[in-house]
Amino acid sequence: MINLAMKRRIWSCRARFSYALNPAVQGPTLSAPFSSHANLATFPEPDGWESQNLVPSGVVEDKDLLRKGGPNSKTGLYVLDLIDRSSLGPDPVLYIDLIKKCTNLNKLKEGRLVHAHLMASCFRDDLVMHNHMLNMYAKCGSLQEARKVFDEMPVRDVFTWTALITGYSQSDLSEDAVALFPQMLRADLKPNEFTLSSLLKASGVRVSDGFGRQLHGYCLKCGYISNVYVGSALVDMYSRWEKIDEARSIFDGLDRKNEVSWNALIAGHARMGEAELALSLFSEMLRADFKPSPFTYSSMFGALSSMGFLEQGKWVHAHMIKSDPQLSTYVGNTLLDMYAKSGSIDDAEKVFNRLLRRDLISWNSLLKGYAQHGRGRKTLEQFEEMLSIGVKPSDVTFLSVLTACSHVGLVKEGEHYFQLMRRYGVEPQVSHHATMVDLYGRAGLLDQAKRFIQNMPMEPNAAVWGALLGACRMHKNMELGAYAAERMFELDPDNPGPLMLLSNIYASAGRWSEVAMVRSMMKVNQAKKEPAISWVDIENSVHTFVANDDTHPQREEIRKMWEKVNTKIKEFGYVPDTSHVLFYADQQEKEERLQVHSEKLAFAFALLNTPPGSTIRIKKNIRVCGDCHSAFKFASKAVEREIILRDTNRFHHFRDGSCSCRDYW
DNA sequence: ATAGGGTTAG
């Protein structure tokens, strides 16, 4: 019988001489600091390391004592020293234990010490040991050192190549990862299912260029297509290329699925904003008896937030609480964001308060939520709180802070925070400049906005001119508005926005010939206005409306309901604002067209189908028009309903005759 | 004995 100790001996002999199979190949020539024991001193010492106190005197006979001290900070060198003093001889299992601990605990410094020690041992030429070292460097994120180990190895096997490819792939160095594939083939090594899953992951984040399809073909040819890792990676790759049908057909073809396969497909739909499909897949996943993971939930919340599906979000949230009441920071952040983007900032706040650990993303999501809901003061309060407890703000943080100042009209505060950015090492980007232009512009300080653009350290982009154009529209400055629209049009000719706004400016001034000119320009440039869509949640289903919609089964009731509301709000003082109508038309026609804006249809429909007094949540794919905004203010009082309307980038809370944006948006 | 796929703010 061969016992364990004998096995070890055999193994270590084989390991020791694995390079000797080819006598022509020398051991790796390792330069300092890997070459000798003496170089140990050149490594930075781990924190709290005190060698004198830790190393017992005499020879160490106890293997368990050796194994106990992992590389967890101060014990790293201790164990190495014990190895030297032990009478048991070098033990490969012990080395591998140490390296694995370094790998799993992300201990790069300690890993280097083990590496140096190993290079001075009889394992300095061992292939497996090198593979472990390479993997350690790759997992600790030091791909340069991993590459160095790789380059200096005279013999490499499929583990060596796979470890490096995976390292590159996981560190977002996908170009380096895929570049190794042909080299590996030339070295006469066949990639296996491990190699292929990493390569597929890497090619998913690159542009679709045929390489990924080649890999797909390779998987088919070599019989890896039924492997669940390879299959899930393929699903993920195609879904990242937005070829969701191909992803689905690979998913359906898997003879064995697991959670990851499901998550890859759900995440694919989530990335494309297909919330309904993500939801139906989620139910399908439950029916198939798979347990959703934090990955599933964060994808789901992401998908639901993009459409603002609050009720469905609550349902998924409830499901998550039932199956796993633990809330991680990662999932908590997506949940918080879902509530904020679905119009329930109070729930978002609750999630934030319940988080056990908050990271920068938690803070940024909350601040963004406050800013979007028009709670400018609250944004600034929380921002100050964030600074006071020592969380370092990022460019994203400042964008929310500046947006908050802009929406609430806090010019001085905005200037203060803009100045503050550099103190926190955040260089203002063009987006921050655009927000400052917005800040001045909304406040009516158009000259200051113009001067700010002239003094910008970088070229203004379309967003900067867009902010100025919006301000000109708001304050009816045609000269400057036309100038801004032209600049914007030059920089972004495919965007119909500037021409739309320009024609709006002319329309609100009643200059219909200019409106006609701009509109003919739009025709020449094939510019098309994105059709306005509004949608509203009624009891777990979503109803979509477009302007002038006459195909809805309840169109007659909707029309009658809106007429009723219209009459009522006129009693409350509502005056239709026809300057938002772009067409040249007589007064009555203009007024009629206003009545069929999609958000008004959605509102009337919600009134018909929800209990009295309940809050109505409407989402819109473009900015709410001024007339609808005014109508909703009156309606919130006239029919005693709170209305929460999600715009392109902010929320309007209509209540008792006024809006949270204080008509400043 | 060593290598693998899925998630968040903008």
Side-chain angles (χ1 to χ4, degrees):
Chain A
M1 280 287 280
I2 298 178
N3 64 25
L4 191 65
M6 287 167 78
K7 262 192 186 162
R8 287 243 173 88
R9 242 189 333 268
I10 294 166
W11 168 39
S12 97
C13 284
R14 202 190 47 169
R16 200 174 306 181
F17 298 112
S18 56
Y19 280 108
L21 289 172
N22 181 353
V25 176
Q26 291 290 304
T29 42
L30 294 169
S31 52
F34 300 143
S35 54
S36 79
H37 219 156
N39 279 312
L40 268 182
T42 65
F43 283 97
E45 286 189 336
D47 297 336
W49 162 246
E50 294 165 61
S51 57
Q52 281 81 358
N53 303 333
L54 287 167
V55 181
S57 55
V59 172
V60 179
E61 303 284 359
D62 183 1
K63 258 192 180 175
D64 286 338
L65 178 63
L66 290 177
R67 203 155 284 133
K68 243 186 284 172
N72 207 344
S73 66
K74 52 178 118 182
T75 46
L77 265 179
Y78 171 50
V79 175
L80 294 176
D81 213 356
L82 291 183
I83 293 174
D84 281 346
R85 287 158 175 273
S86 100
S87 64
L88 303 166
D91 180 347
V93 176
L94 189 56
Y95 275 118
I96 287 171
D97 270 5
L98 275 176
I99 304 170
K100 274 165 119 174
K101 276 187 185 153
C102 293
T103 309
N104 297 333
L105 298 168
N106 223 305
K107 297 283 178 190
L108 185 57
K109 275 189 286 185
E110 289 80 355
R112 289 192 185 116
L113 292 173
V114 181
H115 188 188
H117 197 276
L118 198 64
M119 288 303 102
S121 77
C122 60
F123 300 113
R124 57 164 295 140
D125 296 337
D126 186 89
L127 172 64
V128 174
M129 290 296 178
H130 276 86
N131 286 345
H132 275 288
M133 293 314 313
L134 196 164
N135 186 45
M136 183 276 294
Y137 285 124
K139 287 287 174 344
C140 292
S142 179
L143 272 299
Q144 286 93 341
E145 280 168 293
R147 184 71 194 214
K148 190 168 155 63
V149 172
F150 180 89
D151 286 340
E152 287 167 351
M153 286 169 70
V155 176
R156 309 179 184 105
D157 62 6
V158 68
F159 290 94
T160 321
W161 286 87
T162 304
L164 188 60
I165 287 172
T166 303
Y168 281 136
S169 168
Q170 291 179 343
S171 298
D172 289 326
L173 296 164
S174 46
E175 295 305 322
D176 294 302
V178 301
L180 285 174
F181 179 68
Q183 294 175 34
M184 182 177 179
L185 294 178
R186 252 179 274 133
D188 230 14
L189 283 166
K190 277 173 74 74
N192 60 19
E193 67 268 43
F194 288 82
T195 330
L196 288 166
S197 46
S198 286
L199 284 167
L200 287 166
K201 174 190 162 82
S203 62
V205 300
R206 301 164 81 236
V207 287
S208 157
D209 66 346
F211 178 78
R213 287 188 184 277
Q214 235 172 288
L215 282 177
H216 185 181
Y218 190 92
C219 296
L220 278 165
K221 200 178 73 185
C222 301
Y224 294 120
I225 199 72
S226 56
N227 178 279
V228 69
Y229 283 85
V230 171
S232 304
L234 275 168
V235 170
D236 181 58
M237 182 186 79
Y238 281 117
S239 86
R240 281 179 197 277
W241 291 348
E242 309 206 332
K243 298 192 190 317
I244 205 83
D245 294 340
E246 298 198 48
R248 178 77 209 206
S249 81
I250 287 165
F251 176 84
D252 289 335
L254 291 177
D255 47 28
R256 207 172 65 83
K257 301 176 183 43
N258 63 13
E259 284 78 9
V260 180
S261 335
W262 284 94
N263 293 343
L265 194 59
I266 289 176
H269 286 296
R271 267 191 298 271
M272 296 177 68
E274 297 173 340
E276 288 103 329
L277 287 166
L279 269 171
S280 74
L281 269 175
F282 182 77
S283 325
E284 222 183 298
M285 179 182 186
L286 295 177
R287 278 198 303 277
D289 240 9
F290 286 95
K291 191 175 160 8
S293 72
F295 288 92
T296 327
Y297 288 116
S298 33
S299 294
M300 286 307 299
F301 295 137
L304 297 169
S305 73
S306 67
M307 290 297 287
F309 287 174
L310 182 62
E311 293 309 313
Q312 290 79 354
K314 281 181 178 167
W315 181 78
V316 176
H317 184 190
H319 204 283
M320 184 174 81
I321 294 172
K322 259 193 296 178
S323 67
D324 183 14
Q326 284 281 331
L327 185 66
S328 72
T329 302
Y330 206 108
V331 177
N333 290 346
T334 61
L335 183 63
L336 190 172
D337 189 54
M338 186 276 290
Y339 278 124
K341 286 192 177 139
S342 304
S344 194
I345 186 67
D346 295 333
D347 286 315
E349 195 175 46
K350 266 183 220 156
V351 174
F352 181 84
N353 291 330
R354 271 189 42 212
L355 287 178
L356 298 175
R357 258 193 58 250
R358 297 177 192 118
D359 60 13
L360 179 62
I361 295 184
S362 325
W363 284 96
N364 284 351
S365 305
L366 182 71
L367 291 176
K368 174 90 182 163
Y370 281 145
Q372 280 179 325
H373 283 271
R375 300 195 185 175
R377 292 279 175 195
K378 191 80 187 168
T379 313
L380 303 184
E381 268 169 39
Q382 281 289 331
F383 177 63
E384 293 295 342
E385 168 75 11
M386 173 183 177
L387 295 185
S388 73
I389 63 167
V391 181
K392 196 181 166 296
S394 68
D395 54 334
V396 181
T397 323
F398 279 106
L399 211 51
S400 294
V401 170
L402 296 177
T403 306
C405 295
S406 163
H407 283 163
V408 191
L410 300 167
V411 176
K412 283 274 160 289
E413 285 82 349
E415 285 174 335
H416 163 72
Y417 289 120
F418 188 73
Q419 294 304 319
L420 196 69
M421 291 182 68
R422 279 209 181 79
R423 287 244 309 273
Y424 283 94
V426 180
E427 192 62 32
Q429 293 153 18
V430 68
S431 51
H432 299 99
H433 287 83
T435 311
M436 289 303 287
V437 171
D438 194 59
L439 172 81
Y440 290 127
R442 281 171 199 274
L445 306 167
L446 292 176
D447 284 341
Q448 227 163 315
K450 204 172 86 184
R451 243 178 295 134
F452 187 83
I453 295 177
Q454 284 162 349
N455 293 327
M456 273 173 59
M458 72 280 281
E459 278 302 307
N461 66 2
V464 174
W465 293 116
L468 185 63
L469 176 56
C472 291
R473 173 184 182 250
M474 185 185 283
H475 298 287
K476 308 208 191 313
N477 183 327
M478 263 183 287
E479 296 295 292
L480 194 56
Y483 179 76
E486 267 174 44
R487 301 286 83 73
M488 195 181 169
F489 186 65
E490 282 167 7
L491 290 165
D492 188 8
D494 291 334
N495 184 356
L499 292 180
M500 281 304 302
L501 275 170
L502 190 58
S503 76
N504 253 320
I505 290 171
Y506 288 133
S508 56
R511 289 176 50 172
W512 301 109
S513 61
E514 280 89 346
V515 172
M517 191 190 73
V518 173
R519 291 192 73 84
S520 68
M521 240 167 99
M522 289 169 73
K523 278 204 190 104
V524 169
N525 289 286
Q526 306 258 303
K528 244 175 59 204
K529 188 187 172 188
E530 189 184 349
I533 302 169
S534 295
W535 60 98
V536 61
D537 276 8
I538 311 282
E539 279 185 35
N540 278 332
S541 57
V542 183
H543 301 261
T544 313
F545 297 88
V546 294
N548 301 308
D549 190 352
D550 53 2
T551 58
H552 198 279
Q554 278 182 278
R555 62 186 172 277
E556 273 309 303
E557 289 139 282
I558 292 170
R559 196 182 53 81
K560 279 191 190 131
M561 176 53 97
W562 178 255
E563 270 168 24
K564 253 169 74 183
V565 174
N566 197 28
T567 314
K568 208 161 176 189
I569 59 180
K570 277 183 175 166
E571 286 166 19
F572 279 76
Y574 162 72
V575 180
D577 177 1
T578 52
S579 70
H580 296 274
V581 184
L582 295 174
F583 320 98
Y584 178 72
D586 66 44
Q587 191 63 28
Q588 195 185 342
E589 190 192 338
K590 274 192 268 178
E591 212 173 300
E592 271 168 16
R593 283 183 191 273
L594 283 178
Q595 310 315 327
V596 288
H597 267 184
S598 60
E599 55 265 54
K600 286 174 182 155
L601 296 177
F603 177 66
F605 180 78
L607 279 178
L608 285 167
N609 294 288
T610 53
S614 61
T615 300
I616 295 174
R617 292 164 195 276
I618 297 169
K619 273 90 61 171
K620 202 180 173 212
N621 66 338
I622 56 172
R623 194 176 180 274
V624 61
C625 97
D627 180 66
C628 291
H629 191 270
S630 164
F632 279 7
K633 274 197 301 182
F634 286 105
S636 67
K637 196 181 178 75
V639 300
E640 290 176 4
R641 292 283 198 126
E642 188 174 345
I643 306 158
I644 300 177
L645 186 128
R646 189 177 94 163
D647 215 298
T648 336
N649 51 17
R650 62 167 292 120
F651 285 90
H652 298 268
H653 292 251
F654 300 95
R655 197 176 178 175
D656 203 26
S658 61
C659 178
S660 62
C661 77
R662 292 168 28 226
D663 303 336
Y664 202 96
W665 84 94

